[in-house]
């Protein structure tokens, strides 16, 4: 029986621009204005009359063909390979597009076929398939429905109870949920309440394998969904705490050598060159492995651990949207959901919504959390909504870590800079600032672990406007 091709692979093939596939095949392309001309891929000719317009992702034969023309790489490859447009060739066309782009074809049972072509990096013409964000009220309503429909698995309850020391009551109040095993069932149920889920981060439209239509789906993996709330307690999004973040390889090939790397669940890295195994070995997070053939360097494989916390998002998926990162306001359980009865004169500032939830239970104060170090400024925006007189900066010891910036390829220590920036911004708002410090060698390194183990940080006054 033919294996089913995964959604991701189909979405990839759909996102490929005609110009990119023509380049990957190796067709000679002559630029004329906004278009490129080449010999027709269907009829034979001596003067190029076949046009490709990258900006519109379209192609057309102005020569002898009457109806050769269309949009996107999938139909293009049908004409190129089979000299006709035929829907029944859809899946074979998807495989061909992946092959030429040097992209693996992944099947729903996890098996994959690697392409032995060099990986073609996406060009500026890559199709962006994100939809604009839905109205905030719509997103709120969909997320409310999602929380209603999901439950919390036993293993996740156990994690929150025994490792995070939360009571069943608090777990219930915070509305943590498990990412569903059959996300399309949940998405389908929610879609019955709304006309569309377009533009709601986390949801996207899947196309049926046989091309007979579409259905709504969710984008995520097994883990705990942590509601991210604003100052009114309204859910703005979800962070997903991933069970076991996988290691993944980043290939840095020398001279476009066609390298393919994979890391198994047992952390074994295998590297293939033209379908031949050239490297196999156990790897760890942040190792960098030089790959050689007959003593000659053909590239490096850098090993990265994926983040433990990711946003529920459906960027680059059909009718999906990218999440807009936001702050999280954690009120102590007795002040939930909207915090209207809570004294907000002193507010804790920390990284990560789950950490904030735990802290506020012990401190009795609201905690405002930024999602990641690079988005520290969101904490200022969130905290000022509560009009505090003082903030306590509780930035974890493990936050002082090396940050690798993908864009500039720079490694730098960011936490110290974040603390300085927070001090500067809060001081400018006229808010007093305490810095929380604790011994990370004696207790666990996280501020939440510190509170859980019955200790408190030492507070140092940085700026005091009350005098
Ligand atoms: Zn033609």
């Amino acid at each position: 029986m033919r294996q089913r091709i995964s959604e991701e692979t189909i979405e990839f093939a759909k996102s490929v621009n005609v110009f990119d596939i023509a380049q990957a095949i190796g067709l000679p392309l002559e630029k004329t204005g906004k278009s490129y001309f080449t010999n027709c891929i269907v009829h034979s000719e001596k003067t190029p009359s076949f046009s490709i317009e990258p900006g519109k992702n379209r192609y057309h034969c102005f020569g002898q063909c009457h109806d050769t023309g269309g949009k996107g790489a999938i139909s293009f490859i049908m004409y190129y390979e089979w000299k006709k447009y035929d829907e029944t060739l859809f899946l074979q066309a998807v495989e061909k597009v992946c092959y030429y782009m040097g992209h693996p074809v992944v099947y729903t049972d996890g098996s994959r076929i690697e392409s032995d072509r060099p990986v073609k990096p996406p060009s500026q013409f890559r199709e962006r398939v994100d939809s604009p964000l839905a109205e905030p009220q719509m997103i709120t309503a969909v997320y409310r429905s999602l929380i209603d429909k999901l439950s919390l698995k036993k293993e996740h309850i156990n994690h929150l109870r025994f490792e995070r020391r939360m009571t069943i009551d608090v777990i219930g109040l915070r509305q943590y949920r498990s990412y569903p095993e059959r996300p399309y069932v949940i998405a389908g149920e929610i879609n019955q309440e709304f006309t569309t889920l377009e533009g709601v981060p986390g949801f996207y439209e899947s196309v049926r394998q046989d091309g007979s239509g579409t259905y709504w789906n969710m984008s995520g993996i097994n883990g705990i969904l942590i509601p991210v709330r604003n100052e009114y307690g309204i859910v703005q999004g979800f962070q997903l705490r991933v069970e076991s973040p996988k290691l993944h390889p980043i290939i840095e090939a020398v001279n476009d050598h066609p390298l393919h790397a994979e890391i198994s669940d047992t952390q074994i890295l295998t590297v293939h060159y033209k379908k031949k195994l050239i490297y196999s070995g156990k790897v760890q997070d942040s190792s960098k492995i030089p790959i050689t053939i007959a003593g000659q360097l053909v590239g490096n494989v850098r090993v990265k651990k994926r983040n433990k916390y990711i946003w529920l998002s459906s960027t680059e998926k059909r009718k999906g949207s990218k999440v807009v990162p936001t702050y999280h306001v954690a009120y102590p359980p007795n002040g939930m959901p909207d915090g209207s009865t809570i004294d907000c004169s002193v507010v804790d500032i920390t990284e990560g919504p789950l950490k904030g939830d735990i802290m506020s239970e012990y401190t009795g104060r609201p905690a405002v959390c930024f999602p990641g170090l690079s988005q520290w400024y969101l904490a200022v925006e969130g905290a000022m909504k509560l009009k505090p007189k003082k903030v306590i900066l509780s930035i974890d010891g493990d936050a002082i870590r090396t940050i690798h910036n993908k864009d500039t390829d720079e490694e730098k220590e960011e936490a110290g800079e974040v603390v300085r920036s927070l001090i500067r911004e809060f001081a400018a708002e006229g808010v007093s600032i305490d810095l929380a410090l604790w011994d990370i060698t004696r207790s666990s390194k996280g501020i939440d672990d510190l509170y859980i183990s019955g200790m408190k940080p030492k507070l140092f006054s940085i700026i005091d406007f009350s005098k």
Side-chain angles (χ1 to χ4, degrees):
M1 203 190 87
R2 193 186 169 85
Q3 280 298 336
R4 290 174 55 214
I5 298 177
S6 69
E7 282 301 332
E8 281 68 22
T9 298
I10 292 175
E11 289 300 323
F12 169 79
K14 284 183 184 167
S15 75
V16 174
N17 189 285
V18 181
F19 176 79
D20 289 342
I21 192 87
Q23 258 199 338
I25 290 168
L27 300 178
L29 298 163
E30 283 175 34
K31 195 170 193 300
T32 313
K34 284 182 182 171
S35 298
Y36 291 78
F37 279 85
T38 190
N39 282 341
C40 183
I41 57 173
V42 177
H43 84 269
S44 77
E45 60 181 2
K46 284 179 184 150
T47 319
S49 61
F50 190 89
S51 125
I52 288 170
E53 199 180 340
K56 290 191 172 161
N57 194 16
R58 288 192 166 278
Y59 59 92
H60 187 79
C61 172
F62 288 99
Q64 204 175 298
C65 298
H66 292 292
D67 56 2
T68 303
K71 197 172 191 297
I74 295 176
S75 65
F76 178 89
I77 209 77
M78 287 178 190
Y79 283 115
Y80 179 76
E81 291 284 346
W82 297 284
K83 311 298 170 200
K84 61 177 177 179
Y85 177 82
D86 181 351
E87 267 300 346
T88 63
L89 294 167
F90 179 77
L91 294 175
Q92 284 160 272
V94 166
E95 289 173 331
K96 284 281 182 196
V97 169
C98 292
Y99 167 76
Y100 281 113
M101 298 300 286
H103 193 273
V105 178
V106 181
Y107 297 88
T108 48
D109 67 354
S111 64
R112 51 199 279 152
I113 295 177
E114 299 289 346
S115 163
D116 57 15
R117 307 267 300 193
V119 177
K120 177 106 173 48
S123 74
Q124 53 169 320
F125 301 121
R126 177 151 181 209
E127 286 278 273
R128 293 280 309 170
V129 290
D130 276 19
S131 289
L133 276 176
E135 293 295 313
Q137 303 91 311
M138 161 79 180
I139 294 175
T140 299
V142 170
Y143 286 166
R144 194 175 291 139
S145 173
L146 178 64
I147 286 175
D148 285 347
K149 289 186 167 54
L150 296 181
S151 56
L152 195 58
K153 287 182 197 167
K154 183 102 190 183
E155 66 200 84
H156 293 153
I157 295 173
N158 287 346
H159 172 81
L160 295 168
R161 280 186 71 192
F162 302 119
E163 284 175 56
R164 305 300 180 129
R165 302 282 162 167
M166 290 185 181
T167 63
I168 288 287
D169 288 350
V170 171
I171 293 168
L173 270 173
R174 299 278 191 210
Q175 298 182 308
Y176 302 118
R177 296 291 186 266
S178 298
Y179 187 79
E181 298 203 347
R182 293 190 298 164
Y184 51 91
V185 173
I186 300 296
E189 285 176 19
I190 295 173
N191 185 42
Q192 287 180 358
E193 300 166 28
F194 302 88
T195 47
T196 178
L197 301 178
E198 183 167 4
V200 179
F203 293 86
Y204 69 99
E205 207 175 54
S206 279
V207 179
R208 290 188 201 285
Q209 290 286 319
D210 57 9
S212 69
T214 60
Y215 59 95
W216 283 95
N217 208 337
M218 283 180 71
S219 175
I221 48 175
N222 186 24
I224 305 175
L225 286 165
I226 302 154
V228 173
R229 299 171 188 276
N230 68 6
E231 59 278 17
Y232 305 109
I234 294 167
V235 177
Q236 306 290 294
F238 295 90
Q239 283 225 314
L240 186 52
R241 182 186 180 276
V242 178
E243 287 312 286
S244 39
K246 290 198 168 108
L247 296 179
H248 76 119
I250 300 166
I251 300 168
E252 295 162 350
V254 174
N255 295 334
D256 285 343
H257 280 293
L259 297 178
H260 287 284
E262 258 181 88
I263 299 174
S264 71
D265 290 343
T266 51
Q267 305 197 346
I268 305 292
L269 166 72
T270 50
V271 182
H272 285 80
Y273 180 87
K274 294 187 175 173
K275 291 189 177 164
K276 226 162 73 189
L277 183 69
I278 56 166
Y279 182 91
S280 173
K282 187 139 181 144
V283 287
Q284 289 175 323
D285 184 22
S286 38
S287 29
K288 188 178 175 182
I289 316 285
I291 307 295
T292 56
I293 297 174
Q296 190 205 347
L297 185 74
V298 290
N300 290 292
V301 176
R302 212 203 308 248
V303 180
K304 291 283 283 184
K305 198 181 215 165
R306 293 202 193 276
N307 287 338
K308 203 167 183 71
Y309 292 91
I310 56 175
W311 283 99
L312 184 70
S313 174
S314 47
T315 184
E316 295 195 357
K317 291 186 185 273
R318 191 183 160 104
K319 297 193 181 174
S321 272
K322 190 179 176 145
V323 74
V324 179
T326 181
Y327 56 83
H328 168 65
V329 178
Y331 290 117
N334 64 343
M336 288 194 64
D338 67 354
S340 54
T341 60
I342 294 295
D343 175 5
C344 294
S345 56
V346 181
V347 170
D348 288 281
I349 305 295
T350 195
E351 180 191 3
L354 186 57
K355 200 173 284 170
D357 284 354
I358 293 166
M359 269 181 80
S360 73
E361 186 178 347
Y362 287 88
T363 60
R365 298 185 293 258
V368 175
C369 319
F370 50 96
L373 283 180
S374 60
Q375 289 139 348
W376 60 270
Y377 51 88
L378 293 171
V380 182
E381 186 192 332
M384 292 319 293
K385 298 273 165 67
L386 306 182
K387 302 186 175 72
K389 291 192 166 59
K390 183 163 87 177
V391 292
I392 301 171
L393 307 182
S394 301
I395 314 300
D396 270 5
D398 75 332
I400 301 168
R401 65 193 168 214
T402 318
I403 305 293
H404 180 247
N405 185 332
K406 270 188 293 187
D407 299 328
T408 59
D409 210 42
E410 272 177 5
E411 308 258 350
K412 59 173 179 175
E413 289 190 345
E414 212 175 9
E417 187 54 43
V418 165
V419 170
R420 279 191 289 277
S421 304
L422 286 168
I423 290 170
R424 190 184 64 230
E425 294 299 316
F426 279 117
E429 296 281 357
V431 177
S432 300
I433 302 160
D434 278 5
L435 186 60
L437 293 175
W438 61 99
D439 184 351
I440 61 166
T441 57
R442 276 180 53 210
S443 63
S444 301
K445 54 188 178 175
I447 182 100
D448 48 340
D449 301 320
L450 184 83
Y451 280 112
I452 289 169
S453 57
M455 291 183 274
K456 282 180 183 176
K458 276 199 173 126
L459 299 184
F460 293 88
S461 175
I462 305 292
I463 293 175
D464 190 351
F465 286 107
S466 68
K467 284 173 187 160

